[in-house]
Amino acid sequence: MSTPAKKHGGGIENLFFALQKKLFDSIKDEIKGLNCSIPQIELLRHLEEHHELSLSEIARFLKITKPSASVMIDGMENRGLVKRTIPETDRRSVVITLTSKSTALIRAIAGKKKKVISVLIAKMSRKEQADLFTLLEKLINEY
Amino acid sequence: MSTPAKKHGGGIENLFFALQKKLFDSIKDEIKGLNCSIPQIELLRHLEEHHELSLSEIARFLKITKPSASVMIDGMENRGLVKRTIPETDRRSVVITLTSKSTALIRAIAGKKKKVISVLIAKMSRKEQADLFTLLEKLINEY
DNA sequence: TATTGTTATACTCTATAACTATA
DNA sequence: TATAGTTATAGAGTATAACAATA
């Protein structure tokens, strides 16, 4: 009983990474056709939560460089997904916000992601689902 | 008690995706400098388990097209990480195998991935770890 | 004809280096 | 001088279309 998980190629870490790959692959399938990369979707979700972010904050959140973030925002701005504003308080900086178009898109994406998870947990009992979420929550909050 | 997880922006699915992002970000940090992308590492791990794979099998596993797989293998072959062989039984196909260099690399990567997980679960009790792994295992095996 | 893989070409994501504008 | 962001350029990863070799 001291080694609870031994499948998927030899260790508990592989269990996590197998799950991670499956989630990743499923999301890719689901969002195909929405014309939005996974980092872009993460950004939209984060913007929905924080309402406005500077370019530096976006780069930090996505763990990419500022030039990369700048280019990404260029593309998203051209597609009408975000808006750049220069605040009067510091005219060097840029504030990025959602648009009505991206607000609608977020709802569509949230639905597709929810679908991935519901398939994933469909065969677990209510009790198992509750236990799993409690443990995942603990894991993430302590990280 | 019917909705066990409500943090991280409003739903149980976000818990999964928050975990997924954290794992992904951590792995990226850990493997920085090894000069290997995450798909390439997944492939090496898969090759270690299956010993040899055709190009089509690789494309299917990574969920990329055959031309993309071909290009990826070009790069990995140039860096001495895989070897192409043409089997006598079907001279259209290609068999990809590991090299001694990549066998060593896999060990290094496995260590780094293990480290990510050990940090992640460090503050959980043995009982919690065991419960979590049992549930994750069930999740993945039923998927 | 069907299958396996490659080549040609193009687009997206990311990086580093050098730059501009503002503080 | 330091900070926030942009532009120029390059490399990796991926795709589609067209191709070659083998079955």
Side-chain angles (χ1 to χ4, degrees):
Chain A
M1 295 291 174
S2 60
T3 52
K6 282 291 181 188
K7 288 177 191 172
H8 292 278
I12 55 181
E13 72 274 13
N14 288 314
L15 210 51
F16 273 93
F17 292 118
L19 177 64
Q20 200 229 347
K21 180 172 186 343
K22 285 188 177 190
L23 281 172
F24 198 83
D25 288 347
S26 299
I27 302 165
K28 267 201 307 191
D29 282 349
E30 279 295 325
I31 67 179
K32 205 171 283 174
L34 288 180
N35 247 354
C36 240
S37 70
I38 288 177
Q40 284 173 15
I41 289 173
E42 280 171 358
L43 172 57
L44 291 178
R45 259 279 298 116
H46 199 60
L47 268 172
E48 188 190 30
E49 202 176 330
H50 292 82
H51 301 98
E52 56 178 58
L53 296 168
S54 72
L55 209 83
S56 298
E57 289 169 329
I58 287 171
R60 201 176 314 125
F61 172 67
L62 294 177
K63 291 183 185 275
I64 59 179
T65 61
K66 283 191 278 193
S68 299
S70 184
V71 170
M72 172 188 278
I73 295 300
D74 284 346
M76 294 177 80
E77 196 174 22
N78 287 340
R79 283 180 293 146
L81 298 179
V82 295
K83 200 174 61 183
R84 269 187 175 95
T85 319
I86 297 180
E88 280 304 316
T89 50
D90 183 347
R91 290 161 52 76
R92 288 172 307 181
S93 65
V94 171
V95 169
I96 313 296
T97 49
L98 291 175
T99 63
S100 53
K101 183 176 175 182
S102 51
T103 305
L105 184 62
I106 287 170
R107 274 198 295 277
I109 292 166
K112 286 178 180 291
K113 286 170 81 177
K114 202 159 198 163
K115 186 177 155 197
V116 170
I117 296 302
S118 67
V119 168
L120 194 65
I121 63 173
K123 287 183 186 160
M124 297 184 107
S125 71
R126 289 279 176 203
K127 168 81 166 73
E128 284 170 333
Q129 289 180 25
D131 289 348
L132 179 60
F133 296 137
T134 303
L135 288 167
L136 287 180
E137 205 172 26
K138 186 177 166 71
L139 200 63
I140 286 172
N141 290 335
E142 282 189 348
Y143 192 54
Chain B
M1 295 290 175
S2 61
T3 52
K6 282 290 181 190
K7 288 177 193 169
H8 292 277
I12 54 181
E13 71 274 12
N14 288 315
L15 211 51
F16 273 93
F17 292 118
L19 177 64
Q20 200 229 346
K21 181 172 185 343
K22 284 187 177 189
L23 281 173
F24 198 82
D25 288 347
S26 300
I27 302 166
K28 268 202 304 193
D29 283 349
E30 280 295 325
I31 66 178
K32 206 172 282 174
L34 288 180
N35 246 353
C36 239
S37 69
I38 289 177
Q40 284 173 16
I41 288 172
E42 280 170 358
L43 172 57
L44 291 179
R45 259 279 298 117
H46 198 60
L47 268 172
E48 188 190 30
E49 202 177 330
H50 290 83
H51 302 98
E52 56 178 60
L53 295 168
S54 72
L55 209 81
S56 298
E57 288 169 330
I58 288 171
R60 201 177 313 127
F61 173 67
L62 295 177
K63 289 182 186 277
I64 59 180
T65 60
K66 282 189 280 191
S68 299
S70 185
V71 171
M72 171 188 278
I73 294 300
D74 283 348
M76 294 178 79
E77 195 175 23
N78 287 339
R79 284 180 293 145
L81 297 179
V82 295
K83 200 175 62 181
R84 270 186 174 95
T85 318
I86 297 181
E88 281 302 317
T89 49
D90 182 348
R91 291 159 54 76
R92 289 171 307 180
S93 64
V94 171
V95 168
I96 312 297
T97 49
L98 292 175
T99 63
S100 54
K101 183 176 174 184
S102 53
T103 305
L105 185 62
I106 287 169
R107 273 198 296 275
I109 292 166
K112 287 178 180 290
K113 287 170 81 176
K114 203 159 198 164
K115 185 177 156 196
V116 170
I117 296 302
S118 67
V119 169
L120 194 65
I121 64 173
K123 286 182 186 160
M124 297 184 106
S125 71
R126 289 278 175 203
K127 168 83 168 70
E128 284 170 333
Q129 289 180 25
D131 289 347
L132 179 60
F133 296 137
T134 302
L135 287 167
L136 287 180
E137 204 173 27
K138 186 178 165 70
L139 202 63
I140 286 173
N141 289 334
E142 283 189 347
Y143 193 53

